[in-house]
Amino acid sequence: MPADSTAVRSKRAATRRRLEEKRAAEAAARARAQRQRRNLFGGLAAAVVVLVALIVVVLVQTHRTTPSAAAATPAHTVDGTVIPVGSASAPVTVDLYEDFQCPNCKAFEAAAGSTLAKLVAAGTVQARYHGMAFLDTAANHAYSTRALNAAAVVVDTAGPEGFQKFHDLLYAHQPAETGSGLTDEQLMKYAVQAGANAGVAAADIEQRTYADWVAKSTDQASKDGVTSTPTVVVDGKKLTDLSASGLTAAVTAAQSR
Amino acid sequence: MGHRPLGAARELRKFTGNSRLAPGFARQRVGVRWNAAIPWLATAVRLLLGGVFVVAGALKIPDPAAAVRAVRAYQLLPEPLVPPVAFGLPVIEIAIGLALLLGVFVRTAALAAAVLLVVFLVGVGSAWARGLQIDCGCFGNGGQVSTGETAYPLEVLRDAALLVVALTLARRPASRLTLGSVHPVQEEVRSAR
């Protein structure tokens, strides 16, 4: 009976197919479960690794940014990081946040520096210099830091007047922003020219004696809310017109207040 | 594999003279080719986004003091929270970037990247709106700028573009050249071949 055997055979084939399909579905479910398990364990392991890395990095970076307790502070500074020039009893104070590598600071100094000097000399203004060093690069051999460190050396040994001279010299001879910065020898030359003790200055400039103070000063400026240089504040009010006339007008306004 | 449909269509046309069948086959072929290209596109997107995150994170590690100033410059966080965020953010960025580069946990990493980018956009946007003079500090840098040299439009545009990229990747994370376990979607792509 050929017809009968064909029916039986096709019935068997259908059963086999159903069985195979069922097996395949089970295998797929098993594979899915296994994959989910693997993903879960992998995810947990990755999360633990990231967490450990997070803790380690935060601890290391906290340690790196904690200034040493023995950080040297130059003489003639006030409030830890401020270099005051002029009479403390002057009616108006002008706070200046500058970086020795900042071209806009050089532009401001060229435009309004002599005006400020006259106001200081007349006893109208006390200038308060807040050094910042955030333009260090590998190319300029950390010029911002080296220059501010040298300025600290000068104020320490030659006082505020010496600092003012050194400050003006550095802006007059500011190296290009993309250049290699002034050398330690050049800084030394200007420091001596500004009245610093040659014997003491050489070592302190070379060894960056005030590097921690420089970092502290930069951080303090950030805490003061200063994010761009030059920032000039006349009696607590930020100066927007950074020209000589703008400075004069702001000082006059502050005086009459 | 992609050649057969069109070949068959051509043959079909030859035998039946029915040219109306052919466009359908041709469209199907383009679809197949497009489907095959998407995982490679996703790979390119993954490498781009992952590369940006690893670089952005790595550049914030060498100068931790600058990282602190960059976060502080936004004037959004209370001072005690500033250093932990400044030190921890690069780790998260590098972790996300590595996951994307290696192709593990791609969807999770893409979503995390999108969340971070939204945070960055809010930060930069608010700094812009408040008229702060800051650099976004996105790639290292202490957040300071020379007066008048902010670049807010560029920063916002870049973050927004990366956000679109991250969200697209989160939607279709299946890609080629992954180290990770086969993603379900990728398996579908494979079985479809």
Side-chain angles (χ1 to χ4, degrees):
Chain A
M1 301 213 188
D4 239 17
S5 76
T6 308
V8 168
R9 227 179 289 144
S10 72
K11 207 173 177 183
R12 268 192 202 144
T15 313
R16 211 181 304 132
R17 218 179 308 122
R18 266 204 305 279
L19 210 65
E20 270 167 19
E21 273 165 17
K22 199 176 155 204
R23 277 202 199 115
E26 278 168 5
R30 263 201 308 280
R32 208 178 310 123
Q34 201 187 354
R35 204 170 48 229
Q36 274 166 358
R37 242 192 336 269
R38 216 169 39 210
N39 273 346
L40 181 67
F41 284 125
L44 280 176
V48 168
V49 168
V50 172
L51 195 67
V52 169
L54 201 63
I55 292 168
V56 169
V57 168
V58 168
L59 288 179
V60 168
Q61 302 287 59
T62 304
H63 177 74
R64 282 177 69 196
T65 47
T66 308
S68 65
T73 301
H76 309 291
T77 50
V78 296
D79 301 336
T81 55
V82 184
I83 301 171
V85 178
S87 165
S89 56
V92 180
T93 59
V94 176
D95 288 274
L96 301 108
Y97 293 84
E98 295 175 322
D99 185 311
F100 282 115
Q101 180 69 83
C102 145
N104 287 359
C105 302
K106 179 189 166 83
F108 167 74
E109 289 297 334
S114 58
T115 306
L116 181 64
K118 276 183 210 131
L119 289 166
V120 170
T124 315
V125 163
Q126 184 189 38
R128 290 161 47 92
Y129 287 97
H130 304 250
M132 292 173 75
F134 65 96
L135 295 172
D136 283 348
T137 62
N140 70 21
H141 308 101
Y143 177 68
S144 286
T145 292
R146 288 190 297 117
L148 187 51
N149 172 71
V153 173
V154 174
V155 75
D156 188 63
T157 67
E161 289 71 30
F163 164 81
Q164 184 67 59
K165 253 183 238 161
F166 182 71
H167 166 274
D168 296 346
L169 278 168
L170 284 200
Y171 279 113
H173 299 96
Q174 188 185 62
E177 201 175 6
T178 50
S180 55
L182 300 182
T183 62
D184 283 355
E185 288 71 35
Q186 284 169 307
L187 288 174
M188 181 60 209
K189 191 185 83 185
Y190 294 131
V192 172
Q193 208 174 316
N197 179 320
V200 181
D204 285 347
I205 286 177
E206 207 169 293
Q207 290 160 15
R208 302 192 201 172
T209 305
Y210 297 106
D212 272 356
W213 177 82
V214 167
K216 198 176 141 198
S217 180
T218 307
D219 199 52
Q220 186 56 50
S222 151
K223 282 180 178 157
D224 292 348
V226 172
T227 52
S228 65
T229 53
T231 290
V232 181
V233 182
V234 179
D235 256 9
K237 206 164 161 238
K238 195 177 165 191
L239 185 66
T240 46
D241 178 2
L242 292 172
S243 66
S245 55
L247 178 66
T248 310
V251 169
T252 310
Q255 248 181 313
S256 61
R257 237 182 278 143
Chain B
M1 45 139 280
H3 292 282
R4 211 171 299 137
L6 189 64
R10 204 178 290 136
E11 249 156 68
L12 203 64
R13 199 177 343 163
K14 222 186 316 180
F15 280 108
T16 61
N18 183 353
S19 60
R20 269 177 48 218
L21 263 175
F25 276 103
R27 211 180 302 134
Q28 191 186 342
R29 190 197 170 204
V30 169
V32 167
R33 196 194 259 171
W34 182 236
N35 278 340
I38 281 179
W40 287 107
L41 270 177
T43 301
V45 160
R46 227 184 60 212
L47 296 182
L48 170 83
L49 195 63
V52 168
F53 267 77
V54 166
V55 169
L59 287 174
K60 295 185 185 95
I61 301 266
D63 192 348
V68 168
R69 294 199 301 273
V71 172
R72 193 186 283 136
Y74 284 89
Q75 299 176 13
L76 287 174
L77 292 176
E79 183 60 26
L81 281 183
V82 169
V85 169
F87 302 151
L89 179 65
V91 177
I92 306 287
E93 284 178 322
I94 291 174
I96 291 173
L98 282 182
L100 290 174
L101 286 183
L102 298 176
V104 294
F105 306 112
V106 174
R107 176 166 277 163
T108 312
L111 283 174
V115 169
L116 272 191
L117 285 164
V118 168
V119 172
F120 296 161
L121 274 169
V122 168
V124 172
S126 87
W128 192 1
R130 285 176 289 158
L132 298 184
Q133 294 271 317
I134 66 170
D135 169 271
C136 71
C138 306
F139 297 91
N141 206 326
Q144 304 97 331
V145 287
S146 287
T147 295
E149 284 181 8
T150 53
Y152 291 120
L154 191 73
E155 289 164 357
V156 167
L157 208 65
R158 183 185 55 214
D159 283 0
L162 287 175
L163 177 61
V164 170
V165 164
L167 288 175
T168 311
L169 189 61
R171 220 172 102 86
R172 305 195 71 149
S175 66
R176 302 263 172 254
L177 304 178
T178 65
L179 188 73
S181 55
V182 179
H183 195 280
V185 184
Q186 185 164 355
E187 222 162 50
E188 272 163 38
V189 171
R190 272 191 193 155
S191 60
R193 276 161 72 91

